[in-house]
Amino acid sequence: MSDGIKMNGRTRSKRFWIILVSVIIGVPVFVILVLLMVILIKAAVISTPQCNIGILNNANTAGVADDNILARAERLAGALRIETVSYDANNQNKSEFVVLRNYLETSFPLIHASDFVERHIVNDYSLLYKVSGSEPGKLPYLLTSHMDVVPAPPANWKYPPFGGNIVDGEIWGRGAIDDKGGVMAIMEALEYWLSQGARPKRTFYIGFGHDEEIGGHRGAFHIAIKLKSLGVNKLDFVMDEGLFITDKILPGVSKRAALIGVSEKGYLDLKLEVTGKLQHASYPPNESPIGILGRAVGKIEQRKQPVYFGTGPEADTFHYVASSTDYGIRIFYANMWIFGSLMASFMVKDPLQSTVVRTSTGLTMFNSGIKDNIIPEVATALVNHRVHPGQTIEQVIQEDRISISDGKVKISVESRIDPHPVSPFGPDALVFQTISTSVYQTYDNIVVAPCKAFLKMKYRPLEFKFQAYSLPRRTRFTTWNSATKCTASSRQK
């Protein structure tokens, strides 16, 4: 009897352990199988989000002939020959902006003769156009580009940077992409529209600043003031220079990808300063201002800012292009909810891709010393951050303080612009879908995706509340709009 009880007890104990081990092994295996099924199914069914809004898909390119394309290319090349260079805040080729203004007048006669187009010269050199719609009442919008360019040392160019050369279908010149191409594309589109006898229903504005490359305080700032003086206290949206129509930039994407900027990084210039004692180099101190500051900037450069992948629109970029990849890559792109950290770990290894997932850090200036045998009293450095939308400027500064960990280094803010909020995108976002539809009308074998602009211009007309979008531009630059194409390109060496 007792032997039977012992046997039953052992049997029950054995069953218990079998069940326990089965649960311990089986539950994780079941969860893994379910996850694997979800991952594979999502990869199989994912598609680019489609427009849910009734946007007209009636592009008419019947009047776009090869001679018109060449004429547009020649006009852009002509604008590139005008040296509207911004060197610094007190050094610009200002007379060249007058030359460019006159060039726009002669190149686009219908715009400047139209009864419903008004041109305003702002702060002597910037331009603001008002295109009055036939049905007033809706909020106006603003199209912007800038007319100035940065210096271009000729030695770095295959063709003269201000030569405006057209070679093998490519336009060479400073500003072809940043950003006279944008200026000319907007004007070409409006001129073509007017040539067809068309008039917009909604009023909109076109703003061309003359000092974006040095801050925009004399251009964009005054354009904002002018808009307010015209009674414009709110804009529906702004379209500015942005990202690109890329080819084989995103790994595994078989189509060209048109990237529409729906957010921009913030901008932060920090000044680091160390003060010591002026001494002769024959009896140097244990720590000099240069040595202390050198260690500080080295630490900032080595200890990168945190990764914020997924807190901006970058994860959505992969979601939009996933269906244009082969199945192996699609498994990752379609399942950022589980592979996001893995993706970010790969992206941070590439200098360019790293700027997408985190705040970038650039050491731009280091100043100290008055003589070769004198230990200087002061050493200063400038650090430039382009701030990820998922991070605040205060958090960036705190990360730098942690990296430096030295109270002798004083940190002060030289200039700052908070990261731009993410503008609406998706199937029901009217403005995003309008741009997207235009791209699909113009190009074949392409996919459109939202993205974050890597660069941040130093000033925006922030008096207004608006959604901001940036137009995709070709890496081999192409002027485009919903009705016209220009296939000439531009590249720098």
Side-chain angles (χ1 to χ4, degrees):
M1 184 77 174
S2 59
D3 290 341
I5 293 173
K6 288 180 180 178
M7 289 296 295
N8 290 336
R10 290 183 188 138
T11 301
R12 284 195 296 269
S13 177
K14 185 177 180 180
R15 288 176 180 173
F16 170 77
W17 287 109
I18 291 174
I19 293 172
L20 181 61
V21 171
S22 298
V23 170
I24 292 174
I25 296 175
V27 170
V29 170
F30 176 77
V31 171
I32 290 172
L33 288 174
V34 170
L35 282 175
L36 183 60
M37 288 295 295
V38 171
I39 289 170
L40 295 177
I41 291 172
K42 283 179 67 70
V45 303
I46 194 169
S47 61
T48 302
Q50 300 299 307
C51 177
N52 289 339
I53 308 171
I55 296 176
L56 289 177
N57 193 358
N58 61 346
N60 176 19
T61 59
V64 183
D66 289 343
D67 56 343
N68 290 332
I69 291 173
L70 182 59
R72 293 185 179 99
E74 291 286 359
R75 282 192 286 270
L76 173 56
L80 300 180
R81 298 184 188 111
I82 303 171
E83 300 184 27
T84 52
V85 179
S86 291
Y87 295 96
D88 56 51
N90 299 308
N91 187 4
Q92 288 183 280
N93 293 348
K94 291 184 177 180
S95 61
E96 292 291 276
F97 289 98
V98 178
V99 175
L100 180 57
R101 180 203 310 161
N102 295 334
Y103 181 78
L104 294 177
E105 278 189 43
T106 57
S107 298
F108 304 106
L110 297 181
I111 293 175
H112 293 88
S114 173
D115 293 334
F116 55 85
V117 179
E118 303 172 28
R119 187 191 69 180
H120 302 272
I121 299 173
V122 179
N123 199 23
D124 297 330
Y125 304 106
S126 289
L127 299 175
L128 177 64
Y129 291 85
K130 177 182 179 181
V131 184
S132 297
S134 59
E135 300 179 8
K138 291 185 177 181
L139 280 175
Y141 59 88
L142 175 67
L143 309 179
T144 71
S145 288
H146 61 88
M147 300 181 289
D148 63 324
V149 299
V150 295
N156 296 330
W157 288 73
K158 183 175 181 179
Y159 299 98
F162 297 103
N165 294 294
I166 301 178
V167 182
D168 297 329
E170 297 180 343
I171 305 174
W172 292 74
R174 172 64 88 209
I177 289 178
D178 187 15
D179 187 33
K180 287 180 180 175
V183 171
M184 299 302 286
I186 292 171
M187 298 297 276
E188 291 284 2
L190 181 55
E191 183 81 1
Y192 177 83
W193 204 13
L194 295 176
S195 73
Q196 304 302 301
R199 180 177 181 178
K201 293 183 178 180
R202 192 200 317 203
T203 295
F204 67 93
Y205 293 84
I206 300 170
F208 298 145
H210 73 277
D211 68 336
E212 189 272 350
E213 298 290 0
I214 52 175
H217 299 283
R218 296 168 182 168
F221 181 83
H222 287 273
I223 288 174
I225 293 173
K226 182 63 179 179
L227 282 167
K228 296 195 79 170
S229 73
L230 295 174
V232 181
N233 294 309
K234 188 176 182 180
L235 294 166
D236 191 5
F237 60 89
V238 171
M239 290 190 194
D240 197 1
E241 62 175 308
L243 297 166
F244 306 96
I245 293 178
T246 64
D247 189 12
K248 299 178 181 178
I249 297 296
L250 297 174
V253 179
S254 57
K255 299 179 179 179
R256 290 175 294 178
L259 305 178
I260 299 176
V262 295
S263 182
E264 282 186 297
K265 283 188 165 185
Y267 187 97
L268 176 63
D269 274 329
L270 294 179
K271 180 181 179 182
L272 309 185
E273 183 174 354
V274 177
T275 302
K277 183 180 179 181
L278 191 69
Q279 291 184 223
H280 196 277
S282 61
Y283 52 96
N286 291 331
E287 287 188 315
S288 67
I290 291 178
I292 295 170
L293 188 59
R295 287 194 296 272
V297 296
K299 290 177 180 178
I300 289 177
E301 191 171 51
Q302 291 172 6
R303 183 182 180 270
K304 305 297 185 183
Q305 291 283 327
V307 171
Y308 281 86
F309 182 82
T311 60
E314 56 269 16
D316 294 283
T317 303
F318 293 104
H319 176 79
Y320 270 70
V321 303
S323 60
S324 299
T325 64
D326 60 53
Y327 190 72
I329 296 292
R330 197 184 313 160
I331 290 174
F332 291 92
Y333 285 10
N335 293 281
M336 285 297 163
W337 57 282
I338 194 169
F339 293 123
S341 297
L342 179 63
M343 180 69 70
S345 69
F346 284 109
M347 295 179 71
V348 296
K349 296 177 182 179
D350 179 81
L352 177 60
Q353 293 184 29
S354 179
T355 65
V356 177
V357 300
R358 61 157 50 111
T359 293
S360 63
T361 300
L363 309 181
T364 57
M365 297 183 70
F366 196 110
N367 296 303
S368 190
I370 56 175
K371 199 172 184 294
D372 61 356
N373 62 347
I374 299 294
I375 304 296
E377 183 179 11
V378 178
T380 63
L382 282 182
V383 180
N384 177 259
H385 290 294
R386 305 301 172 100
V387 184
H388 190 282
Q391 195 176 18
T392 66
I393 284 178
E394 287 69 29
Q395 289 173 330
V396 173
I397 296 173
Q398 182 59 26
E399 289 291 338
D400 283 349
R401 292 190 190 280
I402 294 172
S403 296
I404 295 171
S405 297
D406 191 338
K408 295 184 285 293
V409 180
K410 178 184 176 182
I411 301 177
S412 59
V413 176
E414 292 287 288
S415 60
R416 60 175 286 171
I417 300 176
D418 291 320
H420 200 288
V422 178
S423 297
F425 62 90
D428 300 310
L430 176 61
V431 181
F432 179 86
Q433 290 300 335
T434 300
I435 303 171
S436 178
T437 300
S438 182
V439 173
Y440 282 122
Q441 289 173 346
T442 309
Y443 293 102
D444 297 322
N445 193 37
I446 199 165
V447 61
V448 177
C451 196
K452 174 177 76 263
F454 305 145
L455 307 179
K456 174 70 183 175
M457 63 180 187
K458 295 185 67 175
Y459 190 82
R460 278 184 175 276
L462 296 174
E463 286 81 353
F464 296 96
K465 300 293 184 182
F466 52 72
Q467 302 165 5
Y469 297 86
S470 61
L471 298 175
R473 303 168 294 171
R474 290 193 62 179
T475 48
R476 287 164 48 94
F477 176 79
T478 298
T479 301
W480 66 270
N481 59 77
S482 61
T484 62
K485 294 182 181 179
C486 171
T487 57
S489 306
S490 70
R491 294 186 305 188
Q492 184 181 354
K493 181 179 177 182

